[in-house]
Amino acid sequence: MKFKFRFTGEDLRDYLFLTIGVLFYTIGWGAFMLPYQITVGGVAGISNIVYFISGIPVDVTYFLINATLMVVALKVLGWRFMVKTIYCIFAITFMLRVVQMLLKQPDGTLLQMMGPHESFMACIIGSALCGIGLGFIFMQHGSTGGTDILAAIVNNYRDVSLGRVLTICDIIIVSSCYFIFYDWRLVVFGFCTLFVM
């Protein structure tokens, strides 16, 4: 059985919008959330937590977790969904590395573009950019990977909405940042991020 794939004008439009979405999402996460230690939901949040604990770049953790989930999900979800998801994962990984390189300061920290005491403004702007990016990605039937893949798998076998699975995962991930910083303010910022997105 041959696998045929034709790249049409509609596919080109889809990937253009996916790229725009990835750009918004990456700038929101990498330039506004990460420098202010704001934990977001999903694999992005897990990647933030690993970065804050160990210093491992977020793009490395993000890619490794998603690569593992992709192997598991390959048999469950359709190829069209998976191809767009794979594209988004690679694009986000690459763009995150670029953002971190651009914002890295000589002391190893990331530049806080809004100033040192503007965490809430960074939270609002970052989450708005992430939300816009996710909107573009989801409208093209794409995904940023991670808990989106997990939610799609659960939804495939159980009558549980994608939103409910994502919400439960996000609450657990954002709440866990308290045990790293012992600062409820950052947990509240994380929940504000989820709400705005």
Side-chain angles (χ1 to χ4, degrees):
M1 180 178 173
K2 287 186 176 179
F3 178 72
K4 291 183 179 179
F5 181 74
R6 289 188 314 153
F7 199 79
T8 64
E10 188 179 331
D11 291 322
L12 184 62
R13 182 189 64 84
D14 286 355
Y15 281 92
L16 174 64
F17 282 115
L18 285 173
T19 304
I20 292 169
V22 164
L23 189 60
F24 272 102
Y25 181 78
T26 306
I27 291 171
W29 175 18
F32 290 94
M33 306 290 195
L34 196 58
Y36 289 90
Q37 299 180 326
I38 299 169
T39 301
V40 294
V43 170
I46 295 170
S47 301
N48 280 9
I49 289 169
V50 170
Y51 172 74
F52 298 141
I53 292 172
S54 66
I56 296 171
V58 289
D59 54 294
V60 173
T61 307
Y62 177 82
F63 182 77
L64 290 174
I65 292 172
N66 276 305
T68 305
L69 284 170
M70 292 298 287
V71 171
V72 173
L74 213 50
K75 293 183 178 179
V76 178
L77 304 173
W79 267 104
R80 199 167 184 82
F81 174 86
M82 296 305 283
V83 169
K84 289 181 177 180
T85 300
I86 290 167
Y87 171 78
C88 288
I89 290 169
F90 274 99
I92 289 170
T93 301
F94 171 74
M95 290 185 195
L96 270 175
R97 176 52 60 103
V98 171
V99 168
Q100 288 176 96
M101 286 169 55
L102 291 174
L103 295 180
K104 195 158 196 173
Q105 299 187 101
D107 64 356
T109 61
L110 296 175
L111 174 68
Q112 294 182 335
M113 294 187 354
M114 303 299 297
H117 304 292
E118 295 293 339
S119 298
F120 186 70
M121 188 57 69
C123 170
I124 297 300
I125 293 171
S127 55
L129 289 172
C130 286
I132 291 167
L134 288 173
F136 273 107
I137 291 167
F138 290 155
M139 281 192 306
Q140 307 312 314
H141 305 288
S143 162
T144 56
T147 51
D148 299 345
I149 295 173
L150 185 63
I153 292 171
V154 170
N155 181 256
N156 207 39
Y157 290 107
R158 296 275 185 266
D159 187 23
V160 181
S161 71
L162 294 174
R164 183 174 294 176
V165 176
L166 291 172
T167 301
I168 292 168
C169 291
D170 289 346
I171 288 171
I172 293 168
I173 292 165
V174 169
S175 299
S176 68
C177 83
Y178 175 78
F179 301 102
I180 299 164
F181 301 113
Y182 297 102
D183 185 350
W184 281 109
R185 191 175 60 101
L186 294 176
V187 177
V188 171
F189 284 165
F191 283 117
C192 287
T193 298
L194 296 179
F195 178 76
V196 173
M197 285 171 66

